[in-house]
Amino acid sequence: MSSVRSDMNKEIRLRAAPSPTGKVHIGTVRAYLPNFLLARKSGGKNILRVEDTDSKRNAFGDSQLGVHAMIEAYEAVGIVFDEGPHVGGDYGPYVQSERLDIYKKYADELINNGHAYYCFCSSERLAELRENQKALKQRPMYDRLCRSIKPEEAKKRVASGEAHVIRMKFPTEGETVCHEVLFGEIRVKNQDIDDQVLLKQNGWPTYHLASVVDDHLMRITTVIRGDDWLPSYPKHVKLYEFFGWEIPEFAHLPMILNPDGHKKLSKRYGANSIIAKMREGYLKEGILNYAILCGWAPDAKVAHQDEIYSIDEIIELFDLAHMNKTAARYDQNKFDYINGKHIRRFTPEQFADRVLDWAENIVLKHFKVDVISGLEDWEISLQAEVKKYLPLWKADITKFNKCLALEQERVVKLSELPASLAYFYIDEFNYSDSDWNMKNRSKSELAAALKEVFDRLSVIFEKGSVTHEEWEKVVRGYAEELDWKAGDLFLAVRSAVTGRLQSPPLLESIEIMGWHKARIFIEKAITWLSK
Ligand code: GLU
């Protein structure tokens, strides 16, 4: 089966069609990423169409804010739209609530061609029908009552103002044959398909009518959407047939599930806003790399063993043919691994630029989604930390680059950096017991050992630059004299100098901060331990 239409001369046009909830998370990034990749790969267009005909799903009823929050978030991760409400295009308007007269026109056309009919059934009757069907263990379906009303009579009732909807008149015999990129040929018995409502009582379209009409008018060549729409696909195929329109290529992709394999991805597992993820310090490279691997892998011949791909490589390699039919599960460890790998791919200079850019343009930036969802406590603390350190980082870029180079090999996400670089920028720690390894040694033993090792280290540091050998000899040598494990003494020095049990290589850290600063830390640590 072909993956993306390759009719020569035809521009490949794909669309994302979200409701304006304002929410963008790893699941929706993954949902709309294929469109972007295939549009870029083919030199086609990636289009944003806002499906706001279901007013319940608008962000706080302000669809403008929801739309712009989404666009801002997609663009922050690098998913750019070539046409849409924010940039216009030849096939607008790109917001469905601004196209109501178009849907009405096409619904009327179906009525006039005998492919649709007016239905006057009350919601009470429909509810009762459903209840009865449920009790009889039948599939809930409209019983086609109003299909038998003569068109002239129905038209009169409509003209007299009687409440009605428009339903599609699905054939009751034969089969509908659908072609799907991932699933191949799908055949359904027409008698099993409901007479779908196309236009609601308030004159607004349902998804079914609006998406078919828009995909046609917007010249969409490949529709990629969630597999939750697969059961409705025959209805859409039939609508194309009713209108006599060419059917675009359709691919229904699975969602990302929670790690336990159940339910749609929830907030607890990474379905929080992608802007929050970026604030946490996931890079757009890491986000796109992880997202695309949820349910897709390139052909084994070209796949990278380490699963790390740049955005350009993903564009080059992506195809629908290698997309899984089953849903991927969210895997935080894999996401972290991928992000860490991308961090390590930068040159030190690039990394420093990215960290500063992250601090200024992600952490401290006010995004539209912040108006919708508000900031979480950790985001507020992170902003405070970044506000404190950013001027210090920028004040001495050479020092910043050196400090950062030590972390580049270890860090998983950028939000670890303010705390992990803190010891280079502050003069005093508020030590707490948890910053020390006190399993084998008491505070007073640690204080005494630090005092002696400090004197010995002073001798070597004060004479100039210190080699690894000298450093090891002093610390290890003294640990032996004490009959301590060397690790216990190294850890004590580490806690004193960095305020933490884990940090980059200690000698390098001391070299960057300078012995004069390290010694102040050690003296203060001895005082703290001796209290
Ligand atoms: N508005 C629909 C949704 O969010 C779009 C589905 C589609 O891509 O056609 O599920």
Side-chain angles (χ1 to χ4, degrees):
M1 180 95 0
S2 77
S3 50
V4 165
R5 284 244 154 111
S6 55
D7 320 15
M8 305 289 279
N9 306 326
K10 198 165 183 186
E11 181 181 60
I12 303 293
R13 293 173 59 81
L14 303 107
R15 90 302 192 273
S19 306
T21 57
K23 303 232 165 88
V24 176
H25 54 74
I26 191 78
T28 56
V29 166
R30 161 47 191 72
Y32 299 139
L33 183 53
N35 295 324
F36 170 71
L37 299 173
L38 294 172
R40 282 295 167 276
K41 184 174 179 159
S42 64
K45 293 279 185 316
N46 185 32
I47 294 142
L48 176 67
R49 178 175 78 230
V50 177
E51 302 209 330
D52 62 344
T53 58
D54 180 0
S55 54
K56 288 194 289 293
R57 292 179 69 194
N58 294 352
F60 300 109
D62 180 353
S63 76
Q64 284 296 328
L65 178 61
V67 172
H68 290 288
M70 289 193 309
I71 294 168
E72 191 177 53
Y74 284 117
E75 296 199 339
V77 293
I79 297 182
V80 179
F81 298 104
D82 307 305
E83 294 174 26
H86 56 313
V87 280
D90 293 342
Y91 302 93
Y94 291 90
V95 177
Q96 289 187 328
S97 58
E98 293 167 23
R99 302 170 62 83
L100 298 181
D101 50 339
I102 300 178
Y103 309 124
K104 165 97 174 61
K105 174 180 150 223
Y106 284 102
D108 288 345
E109 184 182 315
L110 291 177
I111 290 266
N112 294 336
N113 294 341
H115 291 310
Y117 59 95
Y118 297 109
C119 170
F120 304 94
C121 291
S122 65
S123 48
E124 292 76 23
R125 176 176 188 275
L126 296 174
E128 201 183 315
L129 179 66
R130 258 196 311 275
E131 283 311 309
N132 292 343
Q133 287 169 330
K134 257 204 341 234
L136 294 168
K137 302 229 176 330
Q138 292 170 350
R139 201 144 52 95
M141 217 170 142
Y142 179 57
D143 62 0
R144 306 184 175 117
L145 180 72
C146 292
R147 245 171 117 128
S148 53
I149 302 172
K150 295 234 161 29
E152 310 78 64
E153 188 199 328
K155 278 203 171 133
K156 267 192 217 142
R157 287 171 70 173
V158 168
S160 74
E162 190 171 340
H164 63 275
V165 300
I166 292 181
R167 284 185 188 271
M168 101 186 262
K169 197 189 270 181
F170 212 89
T172 51
E173 281 167 13
E175 277 187 339
T176 297
V177 183
C178 313
H179 298 278
E180 212 279 349
V181 173
L182 270 66
F183 294 85
E185 189 180 275
I186 303 170
R187 289 175 172 268
V188 288
K189 286 204 183 88
N190 289 340
Q191 68 190 35
D192 294 337
I193 309 284
D194 210 353
D195 279 356
Q196 178 64 50
V197 173
L198 299 177
L199 212 64
K200 297 182 267 189
Q201 248 187 45
N202 61 5
W204 287 51
T206 56
Y207 165 76
H208 309 275
L209 177 67
S211 69
V212 166
V213 167
D214 286 349
D215 286 339
H216 172 71
L217 295 180
M218 295 179 182
R219 308 252 198 287
I220 301 303
T221 51
T222 304
V223 175
I224 300 177
R225 60 184 178 184
D227 62 1
D228 46 338
W229 291 111
L230 195 56
S232 312
Y233 182 34
K235 295 177 188 171
H236 306 150
V237 167
K238 194 56 75 194
L239 281 174
Y240 281 98
E241 289 174 8
F242 283 168
F243 285 119
W245 293 338
E246 186 187 352
I247 305 176
E249 181 175 59
F250 272 82
H252 294 84
L253 307 189
M255 320 258 162
I256 305 181
L257 302 180
N258 278 334
D260 60 8
H262 294 113
K263 296 207 208 104
K264 252 165 78 171
L265 193 61
S266 59
K267 210 169 162 184
R268 194 171 143 220
Y269 295 110
N272 55 345
S273 102
I274 208 69
I275 294 296
K277 278 269 170 269
M278 292 186 80
R279 281 207 175 105
E280 232 182 305
Y282 290 91
L283 307 169
K284 61 182 176 190
E285 291 85 347
I287 292 173
L288 297 187
N289 190 161
Y290 174 66
I292 202 61
L293 293 182
C294 289
W296 174 83
D299 193 278
K301 285 197 240 61
V302 289
H304 297 181
Q305 192 106 55
D306 63 0
E307 299 195 277
I308 302 304
Y309 301 92
S310 69
I311 296 172
D312 287 342
E313 287 166 334
I314 301 173
I315 292 174
E316 191 190 319
L317 296 174
F318 183 72
D319 59 355
L320 288 174
H322 287 85
M323 202 78 216
N324 289 343
K325 286 198 221 72
T326 47
R329 298 176 186 195
Y330 185 74
D331 182 345
Q332 186 65 56
N333 290 338
K334 183 164 177 182
F335 195 3
D336 288 348
Y337 156 79
I338 289 176
N339 202 55
K341 283 280 192 178
H342 279 283
I343 287 177
R344 291 181 250 306
R345 280 183 134 198
F346 292 125
T347 64
E349 296 71 32
Q350 284 170 334
F351 184 49
D353 284 348
R354 283 299 287 268
V355 173
L356 294 177
D357 182 62
W358 163 78
E360 280 170 13
N361 300 321
I362 306 275
V363 178
L364 297 180
K365 182 172 160 177
H366 185 66
F367 285 91
K368 297 199 169 61
V369 68
D370 298 333
V371 181
I372 297 175
S373 314
L375 292 175
E376 301 213 15
D377 288 349
W378 68 265
E379 286 174 294
I380 295 169
S381 321
L382 179 64
Q383 287 184 337
E385 266 192 306
V386 163
K387 269 193 198 134
K388 171 173 158 192
Y389 288 114
L390 184 60
L392 303 173
W393 292 349
K394 284 167 63 176
D396 184 347
I397 288 292
T398 317
K399 172 180 166 185
F400 179 62
N401 287 357
K402 280 192 203 157
C403 302
L404 207 54
L406 291 182
E407 287 292 338
Q408 194 179 353
E409 285 309 308
R410 316 159 14 94
V411 71
V412 169
K413 42 194 187 185
L414 306 186
S415 57
E416 295 162 25
L417 290 171
S420 61
L421 298 180
Y423 62 98
F424 291 114
Y425 291 96
I426 57 178
D427 296 321
E428 185 136 23
F429 296 116
N430 287 322
Y431 294 114
S432 70
D433 288 5
S434 60
D435 301 325
W436 294 80
N437 176 12
M438 297 187 185
K439 267 197 278 188
N440 302 329
R441 304 293 155 196
S442 67
K443 270 188 178 174
S444 58
E445 283 176 304
L446 290 169
L450 267 184
K451 208 164 176 345
E452 179 60 28
V453 86
F454 169 67
D455 288 340
R456 297 184 186 197
L457 285 172
S458 293
V459 174
I460 57 168
F461 276 106
E462 270 153 26
K463 73 173 180 30
S465 96
V466 172
T467 65
H468 268 276
E469 262 180 348
E470 290 172 306
W471 157 258
E472 292 266 327
K473 203 165 134 200
V474 168
V475 184
R476 268 182 207 285
Y478 184 50
E480 251 168 59
E481 281 175 40
L482 287 174
D483 204 15
W484 282 23
K485 281 199 223 129
D488 284 350
L489 191 54
F490 277 113
L491 267 184
V493 181
R494 184 181 298 277
S495 296
V497 173
T498 70
R500 297 182 293 146
L501 283 166
Q502 277 159 0
S503 67
L506 202 46
L507 177 59
E508 283 80 348
S509 298
I510 294 176
E511 267 164 0
I512 292 171
M513 68 170 60
W515 175 247
H516 62 282
K517 185 163 176 175
R519 56 178 291 172
I520 295 171
F521 280 145
I522 298 177
E523 279 163 358
K524 286 187 176 166
I526 293 169
T527 312
W528 180 81
L529 289 165
S530 310
K531 264 191 229 151

